[in-house]
Amino acid sequence: IKGSLIPYAVTFADTSKYIGYHRANEDWILDCTDLTSNTVILTINPTPNDATVELEVEGGNPFDFHQVGNSITVSPGTKVRYTVSKTDYITQSNVIEVNETQTVNITLSETLYTYIIHPTPADATFVMTASGYTQLDNSISVPRGTTVTWSVSANNYVSQSGTKVVNDNCADNISLKALVEFTITPTPNDATVTLIATGYTQVGNRIKVPYGTTVVWMVEKEGYTTRSGSKIMTEDTEAQIILNEMYTFTIVPTPSDAIVNITSSGYMQHNNSITVPYGTAVEWSVSKEGMEGQSGRKIVTETQDYPVVLHSFVTFTIVPTPSNAIVELTADGYEQEGNNDQIGRASCRE
């Protein structure tokens, strides 16, 4: 149509362009001999460098400007919208008025996914760590594939810890197991109490452990019986442990080099003594060659020195005339040696 304003563009071998307008009032031939580029180039340099770059002219594209790679050639003053995107990154988009050839650096931020811990009890303390990222309340936001290290703890509960590979927004419920307490009250009260459970420490005469844990215990004091055992913990428990006082029973033999034996089930003799609880029965014997041995049974109710005197044997002999006379010797508890054709002898206690 005569009088119309016609846009035109001349593309050179190096892809640069000359753009212009012509008022169509008559037939016209464009002489390109002396034309030079009057366009500018916008280049987007993305990070990461494999991000997708899209360039689009805003408000129409009369000269059919096309993106080549991460660049676009336009006339000065043209508004260009760029969009830079990549999976697991936050897309960036904006409009630039291009007045000169320029390169714009665009750095994408990784998309962050949130990992949340819901603890029981609710007032538990939790820690979540991932290199370069910070916990916020009970959550942490990290890029896809990041490993988060976490721990949850509370007074009187068993702590838990672990790791989580975050690939999407996610949450975990972490329930802590309550500790149960085992307390021993000894008699006498100054007895030594030992409580053992792997991974847990005794405090005073008590120990706190998870439900179902086996606690090994022992109560001891010098001069008293030692008691020990084990307890599978299912609830708070207090045990009254009474130790029995020990008493020493000592035999003092005469002669002093006589052999002394003292026995009682579960206890051992030391020299001429044995130490046992109140009311324990002990069996004893004292012996020496050439002397009459003694033995007995004793119920121990106190610490005691028990004297035992051994007696020597003597021989009484009758030599009869005539020699074949019958000799009879008697003594309570002893037997005669010899008969009517021998010399009669009898041994008895001195």
Side-chain angles (χ1 to χ4, degrees):
I1 299 174
K2 185 176 181 179
S4 297
L5 187 63
I6 301 173
Y8 63 87
V10 178
T11 302
F12 300 103
D14 62 358
T15 72
S16 63
K17 294 183 178 182
Y18 175 87
I19 60 177
Y21 293 87
H22 176 72
R23 183 70 66 181
N25 291 320
E26 58 185 15
D27 293 340
W28 175 69
I29 297 175
L30 175 63
D31 183 359
C32 298
T33 303
D34 297 323
L35 294 182
T36 58
S37 174
N38 66 346
T39 57
V40 291
I41 300 174
L42 171 64
T43 300
I44 300 296
N45 179 34
T47 299
N49 58 16
D50 59 347
T52 299
V53 175
E54 296 179 5
L55 299 168
E56 183 179 9
V57 174
E58 289 275 293
N61 190 358
F63 297 104
D64 196 24
F65 296 129
H66 293 292
Q67 176 180 343
V68 178
N70 290 345
S71 300
I72 191 170
T73 301
V74 295
S75 59
T78 301
K79 293 182 179 180
V80 176
R81 175 175 292 279
Y82 69 81
T83 301
V84 182
S85 62
K86 184 181 179 186
T87 301
D88 291 329
Y89 286 79
I90 299 173
T91 298
Q92 288 196 42
S93 183
N94 204 356
V95 176
I96 296 178
E97 184 175 316
V98 185
N99 293 306
E100 60 182 354
T101 294
Q102 60 182 302
T103 297
V104 177
N105 296 318
I106 302 296
T107 299
L108 300 183
S109 299
E110 289 186 89
T111 301
L112 300 182
Y113 298 92
T114 299
Y115 175 48
I116 301 173
I117 286 180
H118 300 296
T120 300
D123 62 349
T125 299
F126 39 84
V127 177
M128 309 167 77
T129 59
S131 180
Y133 299 90
T134 303
Q135 174 183 339
L136 180 63
D137 295 328
N138 65 331
S139 67
I140 191 170
S141 295
V142 295
R144 187 189 300 273
T146 298
T147 297
V148 174
T149 300
W150 60 267
S151 64
V152 180
S153 60
N155 289 334
N156 298 319
Y157 286 82
V158 183
S159 298
Q160 289 193 45
S161 61
T163 60
K164 177 78 170 183
V165 178
V166 179
N167 290 311
D168 207 340
N169 293 327
C170 54
D172 281 333
N173 297 316
I174 305 298
S175 296
L176 302 184
K177 292 182 178 179
L179 295 174
V180 289
E181 185 174 77
F182 182 40
T183 302
I184 286 182
T185 302
T187 300
N189 59 15
D190 60 347
T192 299
V193 175
T194 302
L195 301 166
I196 301 173
T198 302
Y200 298 88
T201 302
Q202 172 182 348
V203 178
N205 290 346
R206 57 176 53 89
I207 192 170
K208 290 183 178 181
V209 296
Y211 179 97
T213 299
T214 297
V215 176
V216 177
W217 61 269
M218 180 171 67
V219 181
E220 58 187 337
K221 183 181 178 182
E222 186 175 355
Y224 288 78
T225 54
T226 295
R227 293 184 61 185
S228 61
S230 62
K231 174 74 174 177
I232 298 175
M233 296 302 301
T234 58
E235 61 183 351
D236 290 344
T237 303
E238 181 177 358
Q240 306 285 337
I241 302 299
I242 300 174
L243 302 186
N244 293 320
E245 192 169 359
M246 304 286 281
Y247 297 94
T248 300
F249 175 65
T250 303
I251 288 182
V252 182
T254 300
S256 60
D257 61 347
I259 297 173
V260 175
N261 287 307
I262 310 173
T263 61
S264 182
S265 179
Y267 300 93
M268 294 185 64
Q269 173 183 342
H270 297 281
N271 297 321
N272 291 345
S273 301
I274 192 168
T275 300
V276 294
Y278 179 93
T280 300
V282 299
E283 305 287 340
W284 62 268
S285 66
V286 181
S287 62
K288 184 177 180 181
E289 186 176 356
M291 305 188 80
E292 181 184 15
Q294 292 194 47
S295 62
R297 187 173 186 268
K298 178 72 174 177
I299 304 298
V300 179
T301 59
E302 61 182 348
T303 293
Q304 180 182 17
D305 289 341
Y306 189 74
V308 176
V309 179
L310 301 186
H311 297 280
S312 299
F313 284 108
V314 293
T315 302
F316 175 65
T317 304
I318 290 180
V319 180
T321 299
S323 61
N324 61 352
I326 297 173
V327 176
E328 293 184 359
L329 300 171
T330 60
D332 289 344
Y334 301 92
E335 293 184 358
Q336 175 181 339
E337 296 178 3
N339 52 39
N340 61 349
D341 60 357
Q342 295 178 328
I343 294 174
R345 293 185 178 87
S347 295
C348 63
R349 189 170 66 185
E350 184 179 18

